[in-house]
mmCIF file with all atom_site columns, all heavy atoms in Angstrom:
data_model
loop_
_atom_site.group_PDB
_atom_site.id
_atom_site.type_symbol
_atom_site.label_atom_id
_atom_site.label_alt_id
_atom_site.label_comp_id
_atom_site.label_asym_id
_atom_site.label_entity_id
_atom_site.label_seq_id
_atom_site.pdbx_PDB_ins_code
_atom_site.Cartn_x
_atom_site.Cartn_y
_atom_site.Cartn_z
_atom_site.occupancy
_atom_site.B_iso_or_equiv
_atom_site.pdbx_formal_charge
_atom_site.auth_seq_id
_atom_site.auth_comp_id
_atom_site.auth_asym_id
_atom_site.auth_atom_id
_atom_site.pdbx_PDB_model_num
ATOM 1   N N   . LEU A 1 15 ? 5.920   0.615   10.407 1.00 0.00 ? 201 LEU A N   1
ATOM 2   C CA  . LEU A 1 15 ? 4.655   1.116   10.185 1.00 0.00 ? 201 LEU A CA  1
ATOM 3   C C   . LEU A 1 15 ? 3.803   1.389   11.442 1.00 0.00 ? 201 LEU A C   1
ATOM 4   O O   . LEU A 1 15 ? 3.213   2.346   11.614 1.00 0.00 ? 201 LEU A O   1
ATOM 5   C CB  . LEU A 1 15 ? 3.842   0.209   9.334  1.00 0.00 ? 201 LEU A CB  1
ATOM 6   C CG  . LEU A 1 15 ? 2.684   0.704   8.592  1.00 0.00 ? 201 LEU A CG  1
ATOM 7   C CD1 . LEU A 1 15 ? 3.013   2.019   7.907  1.00 0.00 ? 201 LEU A CD1 1
ATOM 8   C CD2 . LEU A 1 15 ? 2.007   -0.185  7.651  1.00 0.00 ? 201 LEU A CD2 1
ATOM 9   N N   . ARG A 1 16 ? 3.937   0.489   12.512 1.00 0.00 ? 202 ARG A N   1
ATOM 10  C CA  . ARG A 1 16 ? 3.272   0.779   13.867 1.00 0.00 ? 202 ARG A CA  1
ATOM 11  C C   . ARG A 1 16 ? 3.702   1.944   14.426 1.00 0.00 ? 202 ARG A C   1
ATOM 12  O O   . ARG A 1 16 ? 3.099   2.611   14.901 1.00 0.00 ? 202 ARG A O   1
ATOM 13  C CB  . ARG A 1 16 ? 3.361   -0.531  14.742 1.00 0.00 ? 202 ARG A CB  1
ATOM 14  C CG  . ARG A 1 16 ? 2.537   -1.674  14.150 1.00 0.00 ? 202 ARG A CG  1
ATOM 15  C CD  . ARG A 1 16 ? 2.457   -2.984  15.034 1.00 0.00 ? 202 ARG A CD  1
ATOM 16  N NE  . ARG A 1 16 ? 1.859   -3.879  14.394 1.00 0.00 ? 202 ARG A NE  1
ATOM 17  C CZ  . ARG A 1 16 ? 0.456   -4.096  14.203 1.00 0.00 ? 202 ARG A CZ  1
ATOM 18  N NH1 . ARG A 1 16 ? -0.295  -3.073  14.683 1.00 0.00 ? 202 ARG A NH1 1
ATOM 19  N NH2 . ARG A 1 16 ? -0.119  -5.008  13.614 1.00 0.00 ? 202 ARG A NH2 1
ATOM 20  N N   . ALA A 1 17 ? 5.124   2.208   14.456 1.00 0.00 ? 203 ALA A N   1
ATOM 21  C CA  . ALA A 1 17 ? 5.610   3.415   15.143 1.00 0.00 ? 203 ALA A CA  1
ATOM 22  C C   . ALA A 1 17 ? 5.237   4.684   14.300 1.00 0.00 ? 203 ALA A C   1
ATOM 23  O O   . ALA A 1 17 ? 4.781   5.602   14.853 1.00 0.00 ? 203 ALA A O   1
ATOM 24  C CB  . ALA A 1 17 ? 7.215   3.274   15.074 1.00 0.00 ? 203 ALA A CB  1
ATOM 25  N N   . ALA A 1 18 ? 5.270   4.510   12.895 1.00 0.00 ? 204 ALA A N   1
ATOM 26  C CA  . ALA A 1 18 ? 4.936   5.791   12.043 1.00 0.00 ? 204 ALA A CA  1
ATOM 27  C C   . ALA A 1 18 ? 3.444   6.104   12.259 1.00 0.00 ? 204 ALA A C   1
ATOM 28  O O   . ALA A 1 18 ? 3.049   7.234   12.432 1.00 0.00 ? 204 ALA A O   1
ATOM 29  C CB  . ALA A 1 18 ? 5.345   5.483   10.712 1.00 0.00 ? 204 ALA A CB  1
ATOM 30  N N   . ALA A 1 19 ? 2.646   5.036   12.314 1.00 0.00 ? 205 ALA A N   1
ATOM 31  C CA  . ALA A 1 19 ? 1.191   5.228   12.407 1.00 0.00 ? 205 ALA A CA  1
ATOM 32  C C   . ALA A 1 19 ? 0.744   5.904   13.632 1.00 0.00 ? 205 ALA A C   1
ATOM 33  O O   . ALA A 1 19 ? -0.275  6.587   13.771 1.00 0.00 ? 205 ALA A O   1
ATOM 34  C CB  . ALA A 1 19 ? 0.457   3.891   12.248 1.00 0.00 ? 205 ALA A CB  1
ATOM 35  N N   . GLN A 1 20 ? 1.485   5.795   14.708 1.00 0.00 ? 206 GLN A N   1
ATOM 36  C CA  . GLN A 1 20 ? 1.171   6.369   15.896 1.00 0.00 ? 206 GLN A CA  1
ATOM 37  C C   . GLN A 1 20 ? 1.040   7.971   15.889 1.00 0.00 ? 206 GLN A C   1
ATOM 38  O O   . GLN A 1 20 ? 0.394   8.545   16.609 1.00 0.00 ? 206 GLN A O   1
ATOM 39  C CB  . GLN A 1 20 ? 2.169   6.034   17.095 1.00 0.00 ? 206 GLN A CB  1
ATOM 40  C CG  . GLN A 1 20 ? 2.042   4.635   17.459 1.00 0.00 ? 206 GLN A CG  1
ATOM 41  C CD  . GLN A 1 20 ? 3.114   4.191   18.600 1.00 0.00 ? 206 GLN A CD  1
ATOM 42  O OE1 . GLN A 1 20 ? 3.813   5.075   19.064 1.00 0.00 ? 206 GLN A OE1 1
ATOM 43  N NE2 . GLN A 1 20 ? 3.060   3.110   19.002 1.00 0.00 ? 206 GLN A NE2 1
ATOM 44  N N   . LYS A 1 21 ? 1.713   8.527   14.852 1.00 0.00 ? 207 LYS A N   1
ATOM 45  C CA  . LYS A 1 21 ? 1.764   9.971   14.558 1.00 0.00 ? 207 LYS A CA  1
ATOM 46  C C   . LYS A 1 21 ? 0.511   10.390  13.578 1.00 0.00 ? 207 LYS A C   1
ATOM 47  O O   . LYS A 1 21 ? 0.495   11.670  13.416 1.00 0.00 ? 207 LYS A O   1
ATOM 48  C CB  . LYS A 1 21 ? 3.104   10.399  14.079 1.00 0.00 ? 207 LYS A CB  1
ATOM 49  C CG  . LYS A 1 21 ? 4.311   10.016  14.956 1.00 0.00 ? 207 LYS A CG  1
ATOM 50  C CD  . LYS A 1 21 ? 5.498   10.274  14.229 1.00 0.00 ? 207 LYS A CD  1
ATOM 51  C CE  . LYS A 1 21 ? 6.652   9.660   15.035 1.00 0.00 ? 207 LYS A CE  1
ATOM 52  N NZ  . LYS A 1 21 ? 7.906   9.416   14.231 1.00 0.00 ? 207 LYS A NZ  1
ATOM 53  N N   . VAL A 1 22 ? -0.323  9.465   13.194 1.00 0.00 ? 208 VAL A N   1
ATOM 54  C CA  . VAL A 1 22 ? -1.235  9.779   12.291 1.00 0.00 ? 208 VAL A CA  1
ATOM 55  C C   . VAL A 1 22 ? -2.696  9.483   12.909 1.00 0.00 ? 208 VAL A C   1
ATOM 56  O O   . VAL A 1 22 ? -3.020  8.308   13.260 1.00 0.00 ? 208 VAL A O   1
ATOM 57  C CB  . VAL A 1 22 ? -1.165  8.909   10.988 1.00 0.00 ? 208 VAL A CB  1
ATOM 58  C CG1 . VAL A 1 22 ? -2.255  9.167   9.999  1.00 0.00 ? 208 VAL A CG1 1
ATOM 59  C CG2 . VAL A 1 22 ? 0.228   9.037   10.407 1.00 0.00 ? 208 VAL A CG2 1
ATOM 60  N N   . PRO A 1 23 ? -3.478  10.534  13.105 1.00 0.00 ? 209 PRO A N   1
ATOM 61  C CA  . PRO A 1 23 ? -4.808  10.385  13.776 1.00 0.00 ? 209 PRO A CA  1
ATOM 62  C C   . PRO A 1 23 ? -5.674  9.464   13.001 1.00 0.00 ? 209 PRO A C   1
ATOM 63  O O   . PRO A 1 23 ? -5.766  9.583   11.858 1.00 0.00 ? 209 PRO A O   1
ATOM 64  C CB  . PRO A 1 23 ? -5.335  11.828  13.786 1.00 0.00 ? 209 PRO A CB  1
ATOM 65  C CG  . PRO A 1 23 ? -4.203  12.681  13.740 1.00 0.00 ? 209 PRO A CG  1
ATOM 66  C CD  . PRO A 1 23 ? -3.078  11.992  12.922 1.00 0.00 ? 209 PRO A CD  1
ATOM 67  N N   . GLY A 1 24 ? -6.199  8.544   13.627 1.00 0.00 ? 210 GLY A N   1
ATOM 68  C CA  . GLY A 1 24 ? -7.234  7.510   13.041 1.00 0.00 ? 210 GLY A CA  1
ATOM 69  C C   . GLY A 1 24 ? -6.457  6.463   12.361 1.00 0.00 ? 210 GLY A C   1
ATOM 70  O O   . GLY A 1 24 ? -7.251  5.556   11.837 1.00 0.00 ? 210 GLY A O   1
ATOM 71  N N   . ALA A 1 25 ? -5.206  6.291   12.450 1.00 0.00 ? 211 ALA A N   1
ATOM 72  C CA  . ALA A 1 25 ? -4.474  5.221   11.735 1.00 0.00 ? 211 ALA A CA  1
ATOM 73  C C   . ALA A 1 25 ? -4.619  3.941   12.453 1.00 0.00 ? 211 ALA A C   1
ATOM 74  O O   . ALA A 1 25 ? -4.542  3.917   13.589 1.00 0.00 ? 211 ALA A O   1
ATOM 75  C CB  . ALA A 1 25 ? -2.991  5.638   11.470 1.00 0.00 ? 211 ALA A CB  1
ATOM 76  N N   . ARG A 1 26 ? -4.951  2.926   11.697 1.00 0.00 ? 212 ARG A N   1
ATOM 77  C CA  . ARG A 1 26 ? -5.023  1.530   12.213 1.00 0.00 ? 212 ARG A CA  1
ATOM 78  C C   . ARG A 1 26 ? -4.178  0.611   11.374 1.00 0.00 ? 212 ARG A C   1
ATOM 79  O O   . ARG A 1 26 ? -4.286  0.671   10.086 1.00 0.00 ? 212 ARG A O   1
ATOM 80  C CB  . ARG A 1 26 ? -6.481  1.053   12.243 1.00 0.00 ? 212 ARG A CB  1
ATOM 81  C CG  . ARG A 1 26 ? -7.224  1.880   13.346 1.00 0.00 ? 212 ARG A CG  1
ATOM 82  C CD  . ARG A 1 26 ? -8.631  1.743   13.422 1.00 0.00 ? 212 ARG A CD  1
ATOM 83  N NE  . ARG A 1 26 ? -9.117  0.381   13.509 1.00 0.00 ? 212 ARG A NE  1
ATOM 84  C CZ  . ARG A 1 26 ? -10.323 0.035   13.289 1.00 0.00 ? 212 ARG A CZ  1
ATOM 85  N NH1 . ARG A 1 26 ? -11.195 0.852   12.833 1.00 0.00 ? 212 ARG A NH1 1
ATOM 86  N NH2 . ARG A 1 26 ? -10.676 -1.189  13.468 1.00 0.00 ? 212 ARG A NH2 1
ATOM 87  N N   . VAL A 1 27 ? -3.419  -0.226  11.966 1.00 0.00 ? 213 VAL A N   1
ATOM 88  C CA  . VAL A 1 27 ? -2.478  -0.981  11.221 1.00 0.00 ? 213 VAL A CA  1
ATOM 89  C C   . VAL A 1 27 ? -2.939  -2.555  11.346 1.00 0.00 ? 213 VAL A C   1
ATOM 90  O O   . VAL A 1 27 ? -3.186  -2.968  12.417 1.00 0.00 ? 213 VAL A O   1
ATOM 91  C CB  . VAL A 1 27 ? -0.987  -0.911  11.685 1.00 0.00 ? 213 VAL A CB  1
ATOM 92  C CG1 . VAL A 1 27 ? -0.022  -1.838  11.012 1.00 0.00 ? 213 VAL A CG1 1
ATOM 93  C CG2 . VAL A 1 27 ? -0.617  0.573   11.560 1.00 0.00 ? 213 VAL A CG2 1
ATOM 94  N N   . ALA A 1 28 ? -2.910  -3.213  10.224 1.00 0.00 ? 214 ALA A N   1
ATOM 95  C CA  . ALA A 1 28 ? -3.192  -4.661  10.126 1.00 0.00 ? 214 ALA A CA  1
ATOM 96  C C   . ALA A 1 28 ? -1.950  -5.370  9.724  1.00 0.00 ? 214 ALA A C   1
ATOM 97  O O   . ALA A 1 28 ? -1.198  -5.079  8.899  1.00 0.00 ? 214 ALA A O   1
ATOM 98  C CB  . ALA A 1 28 ? -4.290  -4.873  9.102  1.00 0.00 ? 214 ALA A CB  1
ATOM 99  N N   . SER A 1 29 ? -1.723  -6.575  10.455 1.00 0.00 ? 215 SER A N   1
ATOM 100 C CA  . SER A 1 29 ? -0.701  -7.510  10.173 1.00 0.00 ? 215 SER A CA  1
ATOM 101 C C   . SER A 1 29 ? -0.886  -8.207  8.937  1.00 0.00 ? 215 SER A C   1
ATOM 102 O O   . SER A 1 29 ? -1.921  -8.828  8.679  1.00 0.00 ? 215 SER A O   1
ATOM 103 C CB  . SER A 1 29 ? -0.346  -8.407  11.432 1.00 0.00 ? 215 SER A CB  1
ATOM 104 O OG  . SER A 1 29 ? -0.043  -7.613  12.494 1.00 0.00 ? 215 SER A OG  1
ATOM 105 N N   . LEU A 1 30 ? 0.297   -8.248  8.104  1.00 0.00 ? 216 LEU A N   1
ATOM 106 C CA  . LEU A 1 30 ? 0.338   -9.247  6.989  1.00 0.00 ? 216 LEU A CA  1
ATOM 107 C C   . LEU A 1 30 ? 1.301   -10.312 7.342  1.00 0.00 ? 216 LEU A C   1
ATOM 108 O O   . LEU A 1 30 ? 1.776   -10.257 8.485  1.00 0.00 ? 216 LEU A O   1
ATOM 109 C CB  . LEU A 1 30 ? 0.814   -8.438  5.727  1.00 0.00 ? 216 LEU A CB  1
ATOM 110 C CG  . LEU A 1 30 ? -0.114  -7.312  5.201  1.00 0.00 ? 216 LEU A CG  1
ATOM 111 C CD1 . LEU A 1 30 ? 0.714   -6.524  4.197  1.00 0.00 ? 216 LEU A CD1 1
ATOM 112 C CD2 . LEU A 1 30 ? -1.397  -7.838  4.711  1.00 0.00 ? 216 LEU A CD2 1
ATOM 113 N N   . GLY A 1 31 ? 1.524   -11.242 6.476  1.00 0.00 ? 217 GLY A N   1
ATOM 114 C CA  . GLY A 1 31 ? 2.566   -12.200 6.663  1.00 0.00 ? 217 GLY A CA  1
ATOM 115 C C   . GLY A 1 31 ? 3.994   -11.564 6.339  1.00 0.00 ? 217 GLY A C   1
ATOM 116 O O   . GLY A 1 31 ? 4.085   -10.463 5.913  1.00 0.00 ? 217 GLY A O   1
ATOM 117 N N   . GLN A 1 32 ? 5.032   -12.389 6.721  1.00 0.00 ? 218 GLN A N   1
ATOM 118 C CA  . GLN A 1 32 ? 6.382   -12.106 6.443  1.00 0.00 ? 218 GLN A CA  1
ATOM 119 C C   . GLN A 1 32 ? 6.836   -10.817 7.147  1.00 0.00 ? 218 GLN A C   1
ATOM 120 O O   . GLN A 1 32 ? 7.536   -9.969  6.512  1.00 0.00 ? 218 GLN A O   1
ATOM 121 C CB  . GLN A 1 32 ? 6.673   -12.147 4.922  1.00 0.00 ? 218 GLN A CB  1
ATOM 122 C CG  . GLN A 1 32 ? 6.389   -13.404 4.358  1.00 0.00 ? 218 GLN A CG  1
ATOM 123 C CD  . GLN A 1 32 ? 6.846   -13.536 2.831  1.00 0.00 ? 218 GLN A CD  1
ATOM 124 O OE1 . GLN A 1 32 ? 7.793   -12.870 2.480  1.00 0.00 ? 218 GLN A OE1 1
ATOM 125 N NE2 . GLN A 1 32 ? 6.019   -14.384 2.217  1.00 0.00 ? 218 GLN A NE2 1
ATOM 126 N N   . ASP A 1 33 ? 6.382   -10.424 8.381  1.00 0.00 ? 219 ASP A N   1
ATOM 127 C CA  . ASP A 1 33 ? 6.713   -9.289  9.201  1.00 0.00 ? 219 ASP A CA  1
ATOM 128 C C   . ASP A 1 33 ? 6.424   -7.911  8.368  1.00 0.00 ? 219 ASP A C   1
ATOM 129 O O   . ASP A 1 33 ? 6.997   -6.981  8.720  1.00 0.00 ? 219 ASP A O   1
ATOM 130 C CB  . ASP A 1 33 ? 8.131   -9.292  9.494  1.00 0.00 ? 219 ASP A CB  1
ATOM 131 C CG  . ASP A 1 33 ? 8.538   -8.488  10.725 1.00 0.00 ? 219 ASP A CG  1
ATOM 132 O OD1 . ASP A 1 33 ? 7.597   -8.233  11.610 1.00 0.00 ? 219 ASP A OD1 1
ATOM 133 O OD2 . ASP A 1 33 ? 9.587   -7.894  10.786 1.00 0.00 ? 219 ASP A OD2 1
#
Side-chain angles (χ1 to χ4, degrees):
L201 197 54
R202 288 184 188 283
Q206 290 180 2
K207 301 171 191 162
V208 179
R212 293 172 54 196
V213 176
S215 293
L216 297 172
Q218 302 188 30
D219 201 31

